[in-house]
Amino acid sequence: MFRLQSSKVLAVDMTGDAVKAKNGSMVAYDGEMAFKKLSGGGEGIRGMVTRRLTGEQMTLMEVKGHGTCWFADRASEINLVALQGDKLYVESSNLLATDGALRTGTDFTGLRGASQGNGLFTTTVEGHGQAALMSDGPAVLLRVSPQYPLTVDPGAYVAHQGNLRQSFQSGVTFRTLLGEGGGEAFQIRFEGDGLVYVQPSERNTIAGDV
Amino acid sequence: MAFREINAKMVEATVAPGQRLFSQRGAMLAYRGEVSFTPNMAGGRGGLMSMIGRRVADEDTPLMTVEGSGTVLFGHGGHQVQVIELAGDTLYVEADRLLAFEGTLEQGTVFLGAQGGVMGMVRGQVSGQGLFTTSLKGHGSVAVMAHGGVIEIPITPQRPVHVDPQAYVAHHGDVRNKLSTALGWRDMVGRGSGEAFQLELSGSGAVYVQASEEKL
């Protein structure tokens, strides 16, 4: 029921079911729709408290109805991800919409968050259904296998899924402190088996300044 | 003579002697041939009433007249450009979204506050859309700008369309519009879904919606 109307507009056809979407991302709809804010981003009190504590802010709304609803946000490119019982890790700022049936939560991701100013936590999406991710420019899907680990710029990282370990790498040296760094002082390294979504643009991170 | 899309953000127009087109001032990127650009004062744009309308309504983006013989490239602010062909019908568009249009089209200013009564008046205040909008009527093509490209959603009497006022770009056809609210007491205490106001378009025609809530 998720389809791309253009690379930047998501169309969702609904027959009485519900989707969760980023607050205020509806651009148009036909038919009958109701919009309800999910307090604290869903998952009840516990989710709300974790979110408050972790700073992984996510304001979601529930859209329910009959007809077609179109979503878009700041002209970001949209990528559809189908989940079959697996778990997707995504920066909350990159999540546009998910099937109502998918569970959303927060997860500890280690030090990576610190370099992004997004906190140490990331948003997870789990279950069976579709999710729509946003990226600045069309995202590429890179496969990680045990033989081929992947290193990503934190500012270009969008999401990942599969059985991956991530570690934070710092290339900060004496030269960096002198202002002679290569501009790639921090990286995230993924090892294991899975997929990583990378966007062709770098959002502002602390790493970008060193 | 129509506009040729060079890429998502640029269009090329061909001008021939005796023909002219209008464009937003400063939107010319390059040209070939003998082409002149003159500022277009309010004249020739629907008479005195519409001139006053524009002044009052702030629907007064400066235009220039493009005449001569050659080809002209237009683009503005890195916004995505969409060409809309008119075959005798009327297009309603915010003036600041107009990149260029053919001189064969008749331009006017429409008071939209008359539609939808009080809610129509409130609409302009809430949505940032003016109470006045520019209309273009006749046969020819129009290049409009949008943030992130537009999609065209058909409006039929059976299927009215609701649009986020900030994502609205233009519409054509026999369409009525009014501001609808989904405002409940929850919204009053700051727990809204962020979709409190919508523009409801009903009738028959089409609406162009951009992939963003950003104004130009």
Side-chain angles (χ1 to χ4, degrees):
Chain A
M1 62 174 193
F2 280 33
R3 61 188 161 88
L4 292 180
Q5 184 85 37
S6 76
S7 70
K8 293 170 181 174
V9 181
L10 170 73
V12 182
D13 301 311
M14 281 185 270
T15 49
D17 38 349
V19 292
K20 285 186 260 189
K22 186 177 168 175
N23 236 17
S25 61
M26 183 279 289
V27 291
Y29 70 87
D30 62 22
E32 287 293 320
M33 295 286 158
F35 300 88
K36 195 176 96 192
K37 185 181 177 181
L38 292 175
S39 37
E43 309 310 309
I45 298 286
R46 196 167 155 271
M48 195 168 102
V49 171
T50 359
R51 243 178 291 286
R52 281 287 154 80
L53 290 176
T54 58
E56 185 69 9
Q57 285 298 341
M58 181 172 54
T59 43
L60 288 180
M61 59 178 178
E62 186 188 67
V63 185
K64 203 171 184 174
H66 293 264
T68 304
C69 195
W70 288 271
F71 298 97
D73 188 48
R74 279 171 291 166
S76 304
E77 297 280 327
I78 298 170
N79 311 271
L80 294 183
V81 180
L83 291 176
Q84 272 116 26
D86 45 339
K87 200 176 197 178
L88 177 78
Y89 297 80
V90 57
E91 287 303 317
S92 61
S93 57
N94 289 112
L95 187 62
L96 179 66
T98 70
D99 261 341
L102 290 171
R103 292 184 302 283
T104 48
T106 30
D107 210 61
F108 182 68
T109 57
L111 275 170
R112 182 182 59 75
S115 66
Q116 296 194 358
N118 282 2
L120 299 172
F121 292 81
T122 203
T123 297
T124 57
V125 182
E126 204 174 359
H128 290 265
Q130 281 181 298
L133 308 183
M134 293 183 286
S135 55
D136 187 3
V140 291
L141 192 50
L142 300 175
R143 174 162 288 282
V144 179
S145 62
Q147 300 83 12
Y148 298 103
L150 178 72
T151 309
V152 178
D153 186 300
Y157 165 83
V158 175
H160 74 271
Q161 65 188 121
N163 182 23
L164 289 178
R165 287 180 309 284
Q166 49 177 326
S167 53
F168 185 62
Q169 286 190 338
S170 159
V172 178
T173 61
F174 183 61
R175 291 180 76 87
T176 314
L177 299 178
L178 288 176
E180 299 254 306
E184 303 289 357
F186 297 99
Q187 286 129 26
I188 325 168
R189 187 174 167 86
F190 289 95
E191 282 166 295
D193 228 328
L195 298 167
V196 181
Y197 293 80
V198 177
Q199 67 184 9
S201 166
E202 295 170 330
R203 70 180 92 83
N204 285 332
T205 63
I206 298 168
D209 295 334
V210 289
Chain B
M1 177 209 62
F3 296 103
R4 196 164 71 86
E5 297 190 32
I6 301 290
N7 64 28
K9 295 174 180 181
M10 266 189 243
V11 288
E12 187 186 63
T14 309
V15 252
Q19 292 180 339
R20 61 179 180 171
L21 54 105
F22 297 102
S23 86
Q24 193 166 119
R25 217 176 282 177
M28 185 275 288
L29 300 174
Y31 71 92
R32 280 197 194 89
E34 287 294 319
V35 183
S36 68
F37 303 89
T38 43
N40 182 286
M41 292 309 170
R45 291 209 282 157
L48 184 64
M49 267 321 283
S50 110
M51 187 175 117
I52 294 171
R54 274 192 302 278
R55 283 289 153 79
V56 173
D58 217 10
E59 189 74 10
D60 199 23
T61 302
L63 292 177
M64 60 186 184
T65 309
V66 183
E67 283 165 307
S69 154
T71 57
V72 187
L73 271 183
F74 293 106
H76 187 64
H79 294 295
Q80 249 163 284
V81 180
Q82 178 87 17
V83 177
I84 299 172
E85 304 286 340
L86 291 182
D89 47 340
T90 306
L91 180 79
Y92 300 87
V93 60
E94 298 288 306
D96 58 357
R97 295 203 177 260
L98 266 180
L99 179 66
F101 58 95
E102 287 184 72
T104 50
L105 293 169
E106 188 187 322
Q107 192 194 357
T109 310
V110 184
F111 180 61
L112 287 179
Q115 292 192 343
V118 176
M119 277 327 274
M121 301 290 262
V122 173
R123 194 197 58 198
Q125 303 304 314
V126 176
S127 64
Q129 303 282 12
L131 288 175
F132 292 83
T133 222
T134 297
S135 68
L136 293 170
K137 190 180 176 186
H139 292 262
S141 42
V142 185
V144 298
M145 292 183 284
H147 186 230
V150 301
I151 56 168
E152 184 179 349
I153 303 176
I155 302 165
T156 58
Q158 297 80 32
R159 297 193 80 168
V161 175
H162 299 253
V163 178
D164 186 308
Q166 272 105 40
Y168 165 86
V169 174
H171 73 268
H172 70 78
D174 177 21
V175 170
R176 288 176 305 286
N177 71 84
K178 70 171 206 241
L179 189 77
S180 62
T181 55
L183 212 62
W185 66 270
R186 289 174 76 89
D187 303 280
M188 298 301 183
V189 290
R191 285 156 61 89
S193 63
E195 308 291 5
F197 293 97
Q198 289 133 19
L199 208 52
E200 184 185 311
L201 300 157
S202 56
S204 54
V207 57
Y208 298 90
V209 178
Q210 69 174 9
S212 171
E213 273 104 8
E214 258 166 57
K215 298 292 288 175
L216 291 184

